[in-house]
Amino acid sequence: MTMEFSIGQHNAHYEGVYSAQERDWRRICAVDKADHIAGLLGASAAGVGNVLEVGCGTGAVLARLSAIGIGRDFTGIDVIDPATNLETDGAASAPFRWSSYDGVTIPFADGSFDLVYASHVLEHVPEPRAFLHELTRVARNFIYLEVPCELHARTNRRALQSTLDIGHINFYTPDTFRLVLETAGLHVAGFGTYDHSLPVHAFHSSRVKGLAKSLVRKSLLSVSPELATRLATYHCGALCRRVEPPPPRDR
């Protein structure tokens, strides 16, 4: 019996020095990711002081959060040393700090950060709930997660292999994403379903093609998010808070 999928070294796609195109891609996508966080935080953003990103990559999302005024002190950690591909235009000095970690235990004390987030990371980790527990442990107020919802009517083996090749080993719908969060002890305080921005759609094609694709996808999403996510890959983001266990009952 042959294996259905080709399984390579997990997350090998992210090792080494990124090309200029890859860095540009991440910088453009960072705008969307940070804006999603800002949108769900709303007025609560004013109370965010220190921020931790787990799976920070080039640091572009933290840099964007700083640029739009969310947070005053920023820490980024990743299993790959962030120095390998760090965005240095303003994000290499205080109030930014960067380090690598083992991918299991976040090296900070309980309740260390006002906002802890991992954007497009959960789909990569072997133990999603253990990962969520660690995020929750070091969070004082908010936890934000975002994933691509890649399971829908048009998902096939070829699509799964393609996304597996870039390290995705967990696949979600909006409902299964919420289920993982809630069964990890998180309260979902805000939830959003998102399409890419026009610059992202146009990045690998042309502005005209990107605009046409964006109009179709955004129209479908505005008419029915439930139908849209059953037909194509959109992104879902969740702003969460820890669910405190109930006090013990008197006997």
Side-chain angles (χ1 to χ4, degrees):
M1 182 176 178
T2 59
M3 292 185 66
E4 186 71 13
F5 294 97
S6 174
I7 312 296
Q9 180 183 347
H10 184 46
N11 285 331
H13 175 78
Y14 302 94
E15 296 182 357
V17 178
Y18 296 150
S19 67
Q21 183 184 47
E22 179 73 11
R23 293 169 70 86
D24 286 344
W25 168 252
R26 289 173 174 273
R27 195 177 299 117
I28 291 171
C29 291
V31 175
D32 285 9
K33 292 176 179 180
D35 288 353
H36 298 165
I37 295 171
L40 287 183
L41 278 172
S44 297
V48 173
N50 56 347
V51 180
L52 170 68
E53 180 178 14
V54 181
C56 63
T58 64
V61 181
L62 278 177
R64 173 66 181 176
L65 286 175
S66 175
I68 63 177
I70 296 180
R72 296 180 293 278
D73 184 90
F74 306 91
T75 301
I77 62 173
D78 208 319
V79 293
I80 306 298
D81 185 358
T84 305
N85 292 292
L86 187 64
E87 292 287 297
T88 57
D89 48 348
S93 58
F96 293 90
R97 288 181 293 277
W98 315 95
S99 66
S100 57
Y101 87 117
D102 64 6
V104 178
T105 303
I106 297 175
F108 300 104
D110 296 3
S112 293
F113 297 91
D114 294 320
L115 169 64
V116 177
Y117 73 92
S119 186
H120 292 252
V121 176
L122 193 63
E123 63 270 24
H124 293 268
V125 300
E127 300 293 341
R129 288 176 179 82
F131 178 74
L132 291 170
H133 289 156
E134 271 296 281
L135 297 187
T136 304
R137 179 184 65 78
V138 298
R140 185 160 47 245
N141 291 324
F142 297 107
I143 307 102
Y144 177 82
L145 283 302
E146 182 173 316
V147 299
C149 288
E150 299 170 297
L151 287 181
H152 47 75
R154 297 168 56 239
T155 304
N156 55 27
R157 194 210 67 82
R158 183 177 178 180
L160 291 176
Q161 180 65 60
S162 178
T163 195
L164 174 62
D165 290 342
I166 59 170
H168 296 194
I169 57 174
N170 306 308
F171 301 91
Y172 298 102
T173 68
D175 286 337
T176 62
F177 176 44
R178 286 193 72 128
L179 181 64
V180 169
L181 298 176
E182 292 178 6
T183 55
L186 291 171
H187 167 66
V188 178
F191 194 89
T193 303
Y194 308 104
D195 186 29
H196 287 308
S197 63
L198 176 56
V200 174
H201 278 307
F203 188 83
H204 291 297
S205 57
S206 68
R207 185 170 179 83
V208 172
K209 290 181 179 179
L211 180 60
K213 185 175 183 179
S214 179
L215 286 172
V216 171
R217 288 173 56 89
K218 284 179 171 58
S219 296
L220 181 58
L221 187 60
S222 66
V223 170
S224 174
E226 188 171 304
L227 177 61
T229 55
R230 289 180 179 177
L231 296 177
T233 298
Y234 289 83
H235 298 163
C236 286
L239 184 69
C240 303
R241 303 189 96 148
R242 182 202 317 263
V243 176
E244 297 295 342
R249 293 184 297 177
D250 294 332
R251 295 186 177 182

